[in-house]
């Protein structure tokens, strides 16, 4: 495929989203939210979204969706996203996402969509019964990003393929219409915990949809629950190695060390210099203490914010207006490029 213009021609702008499809997990925090906060402090305009339209690609109870959207907004703010410095909003309140998504449905090819592994995982064995929205999900995600001409997208490892598709859509649109209109967005997948694994199975991603609550740490878990989950986390019988190579064939040990490193803002090597040779019976209490000290202030602040839904709704309405100010002219220009009369 021909190369479209490099994203450097566009003003640096960060976009990312999280689905309000259940509570936030430690995976979301370390793989996404923590990075969102640091990017807010760097030289980017930052735009962060609760992607409720993505959430309904699988069934969501309406009352729970509303509550989860507000709780997620509280989670963003409690983690350090400042609505005065970042645009923070809910996807369905900005109709331009759906408008651009339709155009992208007509740009993306069936063959590209059929290769998406997240669709295959989520649809499972009964793909015939999956919603059309679940299949089209990555085109909506491309629209989320490109409706802001975002140049950088911080995400966990699992979203890499969707970001490649976003670049393919931008490239094909630019090529088909002979324009340099959409940037080629860069994924930002960095840090020790871009793929936090289940506490019960080191080969599975920690996920809010895992049937076992023991598999994950939720951002709303209290100190005792966090400690119990870490105590019961699956490990192997050996002591911790002194170097990262020693974790290669030990997925559960590697996961706990990665979590420690990400929470402590240390490298894995630095963590292993401190804990190499210790048995898990010593390391796990250290990890619990660190996790509780980092997560308790966040969950306390989330609880405070969730108790004030009006304040949250005000933040979301204001965020949606700010988002629309950027998105509207980009959709209008897209319609002009495509030849739609408006
Ligand atoms: P989701 O909850 O699927 O909407 O994911 C929101 C963000 O969190 C995305 O950037 C994901 O890549 C990231 N994320 C979700 N689960 C994990 C995990 N277990 N490890 C690292 N990042 C994750
Ligand atoms: N697909 C992402 C996930 O499941 C959520 C998402 C939707 C997103 N739109 C986005 C992430 C745009 C980054 C940019 O995690």
């Amino acid at each position: 495929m021909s190369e479209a213009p490099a994203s450097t021609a566009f003003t640096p702008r960060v976009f990312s989203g999280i689905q309000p499809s259940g509570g936030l997990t430690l995976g979301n925090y370390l793989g996404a939210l923590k990075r969102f906060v640091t990017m807010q402090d760097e030289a980017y305009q930052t735009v962060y979204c609760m992607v409720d339209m993505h959430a309904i690609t699988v069934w969501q109870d309406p009352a729970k969706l509303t509550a989860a959207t507000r709780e997620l907004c509280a989670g963003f703010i409690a983690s350090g996203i400042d609505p005065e410095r970042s645009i923070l909003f809910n996807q369905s309140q900005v109709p331009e996402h759906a408008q651009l998504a339709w155009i992208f449905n007509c740009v993306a090819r069936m063959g590209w969509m059929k290769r998406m592994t997240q669709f295959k995982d989520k649809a499972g064995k009964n793909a015939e019964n999956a919603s059309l929205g679940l299949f089209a999900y990555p085109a909506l995600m491309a629209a989320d990003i490109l409706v802001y001409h975002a140049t950088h997208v911080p995400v966990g490892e699992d979203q890499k393929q969707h970001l490649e598709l976003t670049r393919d859509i931008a490239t094909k649109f630019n090529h088909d219409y002979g324009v340099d209109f959409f940037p080629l967005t860069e994924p930002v997948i960095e840090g020790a915990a871009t793929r936090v694994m289940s506490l019960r199975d080191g080969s599975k991603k920690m996920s809010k949809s895992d049937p076992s609550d023991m598999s994950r740490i939720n951002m709303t878990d209290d100190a005792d629950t966090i400690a119990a989950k870490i105590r019961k986390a699956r490990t192997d019988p050996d002591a911790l190695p002194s170097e990262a190579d020693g974790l290669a064939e030990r997925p559960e040990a590697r996961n706990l060390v990665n979590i420690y490193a990400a929470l402590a803002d240390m490298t894995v090597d630095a963590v292993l210099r401190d804990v190499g040779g210790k048995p898990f019976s010593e390391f796990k209490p250290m990890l619990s203490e660190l996790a509780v000290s980092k997560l308790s202030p966040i969950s306390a602040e989330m609880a405070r914010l969730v108790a004030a839904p009006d304040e949250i709704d005000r933040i979301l309405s204001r965020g949606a207006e700010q988002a629309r100010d950027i998105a509207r002219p980009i959709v209008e220009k897209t319609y002009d490029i495509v030849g739609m009369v408006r």
Side-chain angles (χ1 to χ4, degrees):
M1 209 168 287
S2 72
E3 281 294 301
S7 56
T8 45
F10 292 81
T11 318
R13 183 179 286 146
V14 169
F15 180 91
S16 198
I18 299 185
Q19 302 183 65
S21 52
L24 279 169
T25 69
L26 182 65
N28 295 134
Y29 179 64
L30 296 177
L33 278 165
K34 206 161 172 282
R35 194 80 194 97
F36 296 178
V37 176
T38 52
M39 293 189 95
Q40 174 182 257
D41 299 330
E42 292 164 2
Y44 298 99
Q45 181 179 28
T46 41
V47 184
Y48 296 125
C49 184
M50 278 116 269
V51 288
D52 58 348
M53 287 156 60
H54 277 97
I56 61 163
T57 57
V58 298
W59 171 250
Q60 303 294 331
D61 173 84
K64 285 190 188 151
L65 179 67
T66 309
T69 303
R70 293 197 179 115
E71 188 186 271
L72 178 55
C73 182
F76 270 99
I77 297 169
S79 301
I81 301 299
D82 175 358
E84 297 298 323
R85 287 192 293 151
S86 291
I87 299 177
L88 188 59
F89 72 103
N90 185 35
Q91 189 180 30
S92 60
Q93 287 178 275
V94 180
E96 285 76 9
H97 290 240
Q99 291 179 307
L100 188 61
W102 183 259
I103 309 252
F104 287 172
N105 282 345
C106 303
V107 174
R109 305 288 93 182
M110 290 293 285
W112 302 356
M113 307 304 276
K114 282 185 181 160
R115 285 196 287 273
M116 294 295 114
T117 57
Q118 183 170 300
F119 174 76
K120 292 184 212 166
D121 292 347
K122 283 201 176 180
K125 288 193 185 69
N126 199 359
E128 290 295 309
N129 196 38
S131 72
L132 181 56
L134 188 65
F135 189 68
Y137 178 116
L140 175 60
M141 179 161 162
D144 297 340
I145 296 166
L146 294 174
V147 84
Y148 300 99
H149 278 183
T151 54
H152 295 80
V153 178
V155 280
E157 181 70 40
D158 60 335
Q159 296 304 309
K160 202 169 169 199
Q161 193 185 34
H162 288 160
L163 291 178
E164 282 160 9
L165 183 92
T166 301
R167 292 165 68 96
D168 288 345
I169 288 177
T171 303
K172 183 162 166 57
F173 182 97
N174 288 343
H175 177 265
D176 288 355
Y177 291 103
V179 290
D180 281 352
F181 188 59
F182 289 114
L184 290 191
T185 305
E186 297 289 341
V188 181
I189 303 173
E190 285 171 2
T194 54
R195 191 167 167 79
V196 178
M197 308 309 283
S198 157
L199 298 179
R200 308 301 294 167
D201 177 351
S203 68
K204 274 197 342 205
K205 184 183 86 156
M206 182 181 286
S207 160
K208 49 188 139 196
S209 57
D210 193 308
S212 162
D213 194 56
M214 292 303 284
S215 70
R216 63 178 159 264
I217 293 176
N218 305 300
M219 295 304 285
T220 48
D221 283 345
D222 61 25
D224 289 346
T225 309
I226 293 175
K229 287 179 176 177
I230 292 177
R231 200 174 335 108
K232 296 208 175 101
R234 192 163 142 191
T235 47
D236 55 48
D238 297 339
L240 285 154
S242 313
E243 282 169 18
D245 289 352
L247 293 170
E249 304 297 320
R250 300 174 63 186
E252 282 87 11
R254 185 172 64 230
N255 188 38
L256 295 185
V257 172
N258 284 348
I259 292 174
Y260 191 101
L263 282 171
D265 286 314
M266 289 167 75
T267 63
V268 166
D269 287 323
V271 173
L272 292 177
R273 268 197 296 279
D274 292 350
V275 304
K278 285 192 199 296
F280 281 102
S281 58
E282 269 181 64
F283 177 64
K284 282 180 166 182
M286 291 171 64
L287 178 58
S288 292
E289 198 185 318
L290 176 66
V292 168
S293 76
K294 297 283 180 182
L295 303 183
S296 303
I298 300 178
S299 63
E301 179 62 2
M302 276 177 78
R304 190 189 70 77
L305 289 163
V306 164
D310 292 350
E311 189 183 326
I312 293 203
D313 290 358
R314 258 197 311 279
I315 290 170
L316 290 179
S317 320
R318 191 167 146 259
E321 275 173 37
Q322 295 170 318
R324 290 196 79 180
D325 286 344
I326 304 175
R328 201 179 302 112
I330 291 179
V331 166
E332 286 172 358
K333 185 78 207 294
T334 308
Y335 279 18
D336 289 346
I337 291 170
V338 171
M340 287 167 154
V341 176
R342 61 177 181 87

